[in-house]
């Protein structure tokens, strides 16, 4: 699982989006998701290099009217990237040389405690290679020359980036205490929910030091329940940065998702489930975290007999094909059903660590095959030999078969739905692998 964030910063028109697409586009199969439409660009993807997985954030996607950007807006984004990223890639353009705006950004970046790589773009011939040496004057330790459009030089840069990213072999290992993250769009009531859950008189057992990206995990033992709340947007006040709310919330949501076992996705009852909620949900799903959908501000909705039922149906229609998700209606302000939401999340955590014995799974497979056999392909009879659960932190299953490539989506869906019916994986994404026997 990715546990690091690499942010691309730079003034407008230096090629940030081209470079971003190069980084995630070469590894299409490794992309976790794209947050589309925060402004107009894809701004977030996951990529893999040298055995390490990391998130890439393109800050350029957040600047409106990018031909006429206010210096303050750029400064704000650089500060946020400095605060949130593990590594910062400072993109500049050889064809313009060092500009005043580059100098200003460099002045801010020099204060960063995070590694900063100067990446000189559009270096695609010997003359430009010579001209690019001007950027050494910015005074950063790491300077790389490349051409984003052709990919020339990106390999050396990625080698250097992955060299300094720590291994995250133990990213999901812990002491078994559930790690819960409260995520969602700005203004849906995340902070109110956090405050209602932990209160002012919160009984903090210990502050667990964060990961490489300074996320704070706070250990609670309340209501007879033991859990770790992963720091989300509402929990730390930012004094130095006047937040670019959408940009900040996207990065923080991704980080909180990665560092949790179960996510409580908070949506606004008065608005229903919106596209940005679905974007966050897809990241939770593809990072294989448990999920509870928490519909907040339920006190503001005019209710009739079936209002909750109809809204839940509408929400789950929009989350398809992943519809086996607990949905709860709360009011964080009135403290209605907030403990029930916590209980649901802890139950999802319990189910996420369920282990099913191989003998039980194989009896289940036999019965599932009798009900509905995989269709034969070009006269080839597809046979499932056996299935086993893999030793991963999330439920994943390996099916051994004579023709793994012939197992098409409808049959995969059938097997997944049967697993859900038989073993109760409510709120948990499942991963199915088909391997050659």
């Amino acid at each position: 699982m990715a546990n690091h964030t690499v942010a691309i910063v730079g003034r407008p028109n230096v090629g940030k989006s081209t470079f971003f697409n190069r980084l995630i586009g070469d590894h299409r199969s490794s992309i976790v998701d794209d947050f589309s439409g925060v402004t107009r660009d894809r701004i977030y993807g996951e990529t893999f290099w040298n055995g390490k997985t990391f998130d890439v954030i393109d800050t350029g996607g957040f600047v409106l009217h990018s031909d006429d950007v206010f210096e303050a807006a750029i400064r704000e984004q650089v500060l946020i990237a400095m605060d949130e990223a593990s590594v910062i890639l400072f993109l500049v353009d050889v064809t313009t040389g060092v500009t005043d705006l580059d100098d200003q950004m460099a002045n801010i970046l020099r204060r960063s405690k995070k590694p900063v790589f100067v990446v000189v773009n559009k270096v695609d011939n010997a003359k430009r290679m010579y001209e690019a040496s001007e950027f050494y004057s910015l005074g950063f330790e790491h300077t790389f020359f490349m051409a984003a459009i052709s990919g020339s030089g990106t390999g050396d840069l990625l080698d250097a980036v992955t060299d300094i990213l720590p291994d995250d072999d133990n990213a999901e290992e812990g002491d078994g205490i559930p790690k819960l993250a409260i995520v969602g769009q700005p203004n849906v009531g995340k902070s109110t929910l956090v405050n209602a859950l932990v209160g002012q008189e919160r009984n903090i057992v210990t502050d667990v030091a964060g990961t490489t990206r300074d996320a704070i995990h706070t250990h609670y033992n309340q209501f007879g329940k033991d859990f770790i709340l992963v720091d989300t947007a509402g929990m730390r006040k930012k004094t130095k940065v006047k937040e670019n709310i959408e940009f900040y919330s996207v990065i923080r949501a991704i980080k909180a998702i990665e560092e949790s076992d179960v996510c409580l996705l908070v949506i606004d009852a008065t608005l229903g489930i919106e596209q940005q909620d679905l974007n966050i949900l897809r990241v939770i799903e593809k990072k294989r975290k448990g999920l509870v959908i928490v519909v907040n501000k339920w006190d503001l909705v005019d209710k009739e007999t079936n209002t909750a039922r109809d809204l839940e149906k509408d929400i789950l229609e929009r989350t398809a094909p992943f519809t086996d998700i607990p949905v709860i209606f709360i009011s964080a302000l009135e403290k209605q059903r907030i403990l029930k939401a916590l209980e649901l999340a802890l139950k999802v955590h319990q189910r996420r660590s369920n282990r099913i014995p191989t003998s039980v799974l194989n009896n289940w497979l036999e019965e599932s095959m009798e009900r509905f056999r995989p269709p034969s392909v070009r006269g080839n009879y597809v046979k499932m030999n056996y299935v086993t659960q893999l030793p991963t932190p999330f439920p994943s299953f390996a099916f051994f078969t004579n023709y793994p490539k012939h197992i098409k989506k409808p049959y995969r869906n059938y097997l997944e739905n049967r697993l859900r019916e038989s073993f109760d994986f409510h709120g948990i994404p499942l991963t199915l692998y088909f391997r050659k026997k």
Side-chain angles (χ1 to χ4, degrees), residues 131-151:
E131 290 166 350
S133 57
E134 175 192 359
F135 287 90
Y136 286 119
S137 68
L138 293 173
F140 290 92
E141 186 185 345
H142 308 286
T143 301
F144 286 85
F145 303 160
M146 62 122 198
I149 206 150
S150 68

Side-chain angles (χ1 to χ4, degrees), residues 94 122-132 147 152:
V94 70
K122 307 181 188 175
V123 182
D124 50 14
N125 59 42
K127 179 172 178 282
R128 285 185 173 180
M129 183 73 79
Y130 172 74
E131 290 166 350
S152 162

Side-chain angles (χ1 to χ4, degrees), residues 51 55 80 87 98 177 191 219 293 323 374 376 384 386 403 409:
D55 294 323
I80 294 169
V87 176
V98 179
I177 299 172
S191 306
H219 185 169
I293 294 177
T323 57
S376 60
M384 293 277 191
Y386 69 98
Y403 292 109
K409 196 169 173 55

Side-chain angles (χ1 to χ4, degrees), residues 76 104 125 160 189 228 233 280:
E76 188 176 305
Q104 288 170 33
N125 59 42
I228 289 171
I280 297 170

Side-chain angles (χ1 to χ4, degrees), residues 2-294:
N3 206 25
H4 314 292
T5 305
V6 173
I8 304 168
V9 303
R11 59 186 174 78
N13 305 320
V14 292
K16 290 191 297 297
S17 293
T18 308
F19 182 40
F20 171 79
N21 290 334
R22 162 72 50 192
L23 289 187
I24 66 164
D26 282 347
H27 311 283
R28 246 329 127 182
S29 61
S30 300
I31 294 174
V32 167
D33 212 348
D34 297 324
F35 265 91
S36 54
V38 174
T39 54
R40 64 187 183 283
D41 296 324
R42 297 180 308 158
I43 56 169
Y44 158 75
E46 185 179 85
T47 195
F48 179 83
W49 189 266
N50 283 353
K52 290 180 184 174
T53 307
F54 54 94
D55 294 323
V56 184
I57 304 263
D58 171 17
T59 63
F62 299 90
V63 182
L64 293 166
H65 320 301
S66 66
D67 294 334
D68 180 28
V69 176
F70 297 107
E71 288 175 18
I74 295 175
R75 176 189 169 84
E76 188 176 305
Q77 286 172 20
V78 174
L79 287 169
I80 294 169
M82 276 166 57
D83 198 46
E84 298 297 330
S86 318
V87 176
I88 299 160
L89 304 181
F90 175 25
L91 208 63
V92 291
D93 180 349
V94 70
T95 63
T96 59
V98 179
T99 68
D100 289 348
L101 205 45
D102 291 329
D103 270 331
Q104 288 170 33
M105 293 179 83
N107 286 337
I108 301 169
L109 288 167
R110 279 190 206 101
R111 293 177 226 142
S112 175
K113 293 185 173 65
K114 309 287 174 68
V116 177
F117 288 55
V118 175
V119 182
V120 189
N121 191 21
K122 307 181 188 175
V123 182
D124 50 14
N125 59 42
K127 179 172 178 282
R128 285 185 173 180
M129 183 73 79
Y130 172 74
E131 290 166 350
S133 57
E134 175 192 359
F135 287 90
Y136 286 119
S137 68
L138 293 173
F140 290 92
E141 186 185 345
H142 308 286
T143 301
F144 286 85
F145 303 160
M146 62 122 198
I149 206 150
S150 68
S152 162
T154 51
D156 291 344
L157 170 63
L158 288 174
D159 286 347
V161 168
T162 51
D163 276 350
I164 61 170
L165 289 178
D167 293 317
D168 42 72
D169 298 338
N170 302 321
E172 286 241 20
E173 288 177 16
D175 46 15
I177 299 172
K179 292 197 279 295
L180 310 179
I182 294 170
V183 297
Q185 294 194 67
N187 306 318
V188 292
K190 296 189 296 294
S191 306
T192 314
L193 178 55
V194 169
N195 293 335
L197 279 174
V198 300
Q200 291 311 304
E201 63 293 333
R202 53 193 178 180
N203 177 16
I204 299 177
V205 178
T206 172
D207 273 347
V208 183
T211 63
T212 50
R213 296 163 313 156
D214 309 323
I216 306 297
H217 299 89
T218 310
H219 185 169
Y220 295 94
N221 193 332
Q222 286 183 283
F223 325 115
K225 299 177 188 357
D226 208 17
F227 61 99
I228 289 171
L229 205 59
V230 178
D231 179 18
T232 54
M235 288 188 66
R236 275 193 294 178
K237 285 185 178 165
K238 313 292 292 177
T239 48
K240 293 180 184 168
V241 179
K242 186 176 178 300
E243 294 162 12
N244 176 329
I245 292 293
E246 284 190 299
F247 177 39
Y248 182 61
S249 70
V250 168
I251 297 183
R252 183 50 67 83
I254 293 163
K255 285 171 60 176
I257 290 163
E258 281 169 351
E259 296 181 15
S260 67
D261 302 311
V262 178
C263 298
L264 291 94
L265 173 59
V266 184
I267 68 173
D268 187 329
T270 63
L271 300 172
I273 193 160
E274 300 185 305
Q275 186 55 47
Q276 185 73 335
D277 299 317
L278 292 171
N279 290 339
I280 297 170
L281 184 142
R282 295 299 169 220
V283 176
I284 295 168
E285 183 186 355
K286 291 184 180 178
K287 288 187 181 288
R288 303 299 176 211
K289 306 298 182 177
L291 173 62
V292 176
I293 294 177
V294 177

